[in-house]
Amino acid sequence: MRFSAVIVAGGSGRRAGGAKQWRSLAGKAVARWSVEACLWAGADDIILVIPAGDERLAEMALAGLSGWRAVAGGSERRDSVLQGLAALKCDPDAIVLIHDAARPLLSSRVISELLVASSEADGAVPALPIADTLKRIDSPGGDVATISRAGLWRAQTPQAFRRRVIEAAYAAWPADEVPTDEASVVERAGGHIVLTPGDPKLLKLTYPEDFEMVEALAGGARLTRTGLGFDAHRFGPGDGVWLCGLHIPHDQKLIGHSDADAGLHALTDAILGAIAEGDIGDHFPPSDPRWKGVDSAVFLKHAVQLVTSRGGRLLNVDLTLICEQPKIKPHREAMRERLAVLLGLPLGAVSVKATTTEAMGFTGRGEGLAAQAIVSVETPA
Ligand code: MG
């Protein structure tokens, strides 16, 4: 499901000791964690609401990511949320997630449960049951009373609403009251809110010591995904083939709309597969004259860019070239080096192998050449 997101990163962070949204948490800025999670879960449009004057800090913190814009927030959280909502491009029925950047360890699982639940209610909120016994003291040094935790939940963010529902509810909210979350605004307007399973890792950075705890949990907030690619091209009259971005002298060439580099095509499809982004033909239709005779490195770099622009990174690739001729082995190291440059990977993460099919099938008869690739990608969870 598609959605938009407003991420409030506007706090001055008095309690957490400084502007926590730009602080590094396990190697990247606090605010970046949430933006990457939303991109990964399929956000169309992300508004990051920041303190006025922090634009440069936001650009540095989110360098390389696509699909986000920053707007300056107001003095109260409510004002910041309204500024963020006003900046969205989505239509009134679209679902908007409203999130606090101070909860960095947001997972796709939490988002997808919110999207499903909010499509059938006026809003959805991730919440956790309370395990501890609750005590109440009405005055300092006063008597301690135990209160029942039955029916009590801890609400987290993001919270999900249709855009028109949250905007109308805020319009009806009394100007002199400060809501503690968006769900309470919709509740007051008579809306029906549902709870979805929260995540204990989705902690809010409130006090300086929280950084250590969230940092310790951050390692589990990344996933490894794999993708598979296959391609084949036919031989025709010519004087060499393009393979893995190199021109290999041969008594034939490979026929195709682009440069017919089956190695780069298999790798491109494997990367697209790892991030569920369709296949090479979706991104570069053979019917489009722009791609005629083009260097297939363009396709591969595009796929890599799709991974990095939403906060993922390539871990390794393994490519098998299947043909009788030309002989691959003399070119294998040069191919690995070329691929390492195109993919931005160390040489040790780039494998090129070759095999024949023992004279069987289309590769065995020398009609064409095939390539098979597998890749691993690390992404937000
Ligand atoms: Mg191809």
Side-chain angles (χ1 to χ4, degrees):
M1 281 174 83
R2 312 300 287 189
F3 64 96
S4 297
V6 172
I7 300 176
V8 181
S12 59
R14 282 182 297 271
R15 282 180 297 182
K20 60 190 167 188
Q21 62 271 39
W22 313 131
R23 257 180 77 174
S24 176
L25 178 87
K28 59 190 167 196
V30 165
R32 188 178 178 109
W33 285 86
S34 298
V35 173
E36 287 187 358
C38 287
L39 285 171
W40 208 262
D44 284 323
D45 192 19
I46 298 172
I47 305 296
L48 188 69
V49 189
I50 62 173
D54 274 9
E55 290 76 10
R56 185 83 195 98
L57 289 170
E59 274 167 33
M60 286 194 294
L62 304 184
L65 298 182
S66 60
W68 65 275
R69 290 173 289 140
V71 303
S75 54
E76 298 289 339
R77 184 177 181 285
R78 169 184 49 180
D79 304 320
S80 294
V81 170
L82 290 173
Q83 300 284 10
L85 285 169
L88 286 171
K89 288 187 236 164
C90 60
D91 70 54
D93 278 321
I95 291 181
V96 179
L97 298 192
I98 300 175
H99 184 49
D100 290 316
R103 295 185 187 268
L105 302 187
L106 174 58
S107 71
S108 296
R109 196 269 299 161
V110 167
I111 294 177
S112 52
E113 303 217 50
L114 283 171
L115 295 178
V116 171
S118 61
S119 62
E120 289 163 8
D122 295 312
V125 175
L128 292 169
I130 294 169
D132 300 321
T133 299
L134 295 177
K135 302 289 183 188
R136 162 176 254 149
I137 306 176
D138 287 325
S139 58
D143 288 339
V144 173
T146 301
I147 58 174
S148 168
R149 64 183 177 222
L152 295 182
W153 294 79
R154 295 156 54 201
Q156 300 180 311
T157 75
Q159 302 185 348
F161 313 90
R162 288 195 194 281
R163 182 181 186 177
R164 62 177 160 72
V165 170
I166 185 64
E167 286 182 336
Y170 259 124
W173 182 266
D176 56 345
E177 278 186 54
V178 178
T180 58
D181 70 351
E182 277 58 56
S184 58
V185 176
V186 173
E187 290 156 21
R188 178 80 69 91
H192 174 59
I193 301 290
V194 292
L195 300 184
T196 60
D199 186 345
K201 290 199 291 292
L202 194 49
L203 292 170
K204 187 171 184 181
L205 295 166
T206 308
Y207 302 102
E209 56 270 30
D210 294 343
F211 268 84
E212 222 172 292
M213 187 158 47
V214 172
E215 196 145 46
L217 294 169
R222 303 285 285 181
L223 277 185
T224 304
R225 300 166 198 249
T226 54
L228 191 69
F230 177 83
D231 195 33
H233 281 271
R234 181 185 292 277
F235 285 122
D239 61 359
V241 299
W242 282 99
L243 268 182
C244 299
L246 299 180
H247 191 255
I248 311 289
H250 187 48
D251 57 5
Q252 289 182 298
K253 71 169 190 174
L254 290 169
I255 310 293
H257 186 70
S258 63
D259 62 9
D261 189 327
L264 294 191
H265 294 181
L267 276 172
T268 303
D269 258 1
I271 294 168
L272 294 174
I275 59 172
E277 264 291 343
D279 60 32
I280 195 169
D282 295 330
H283 294 265
F284 303 97
S287 54
D288 188 334
R290 272 186 301 167
W291 315 124
K292 187 168 167 50
V294 77
D295 176 356
S296 297
V298 170
F299 308 155
L300 188 68
K301 286 180 178 167
H302 171 77
V304 173
Q305 168 74 14
L306 285 177
V307 173
T308 56
S309 68
R310 54 184 83 164
R313 72 183 177 105
L314 227 50
L315 295 176
N316 76 302
V317 306
D318 184 16
L319 177 71
T320 301
L321 299 170
I322 307 162
C323 59
E324 304 287 332
Q325 294 289 338
K327 290 297 169 208
I328 301 301
K329 197 167 180 184
H331 308 287
R332 208 166 66 179
E333 287 314 300
M335 288 175 172
R336 289 180 64 213
E337 282 174 23
R338 178 68 184 142
L339 291 178
V341 169
L342 292 176
L343 296 164
L345 283 175
L347 202 55
V350 179
S351 159
V352 175
K353 311 198 296 298
T355 187
T356 70
T357 50
E358 301 277 333
M360 297 177 289
F362 71 89
T363 56
R365 291 188 297 271
E367 294 166 15
L369 172 155
Q372 203 169 279
I374 191 161
V375 307
S376 297
V377 169
E378 187 199 66
T379 72

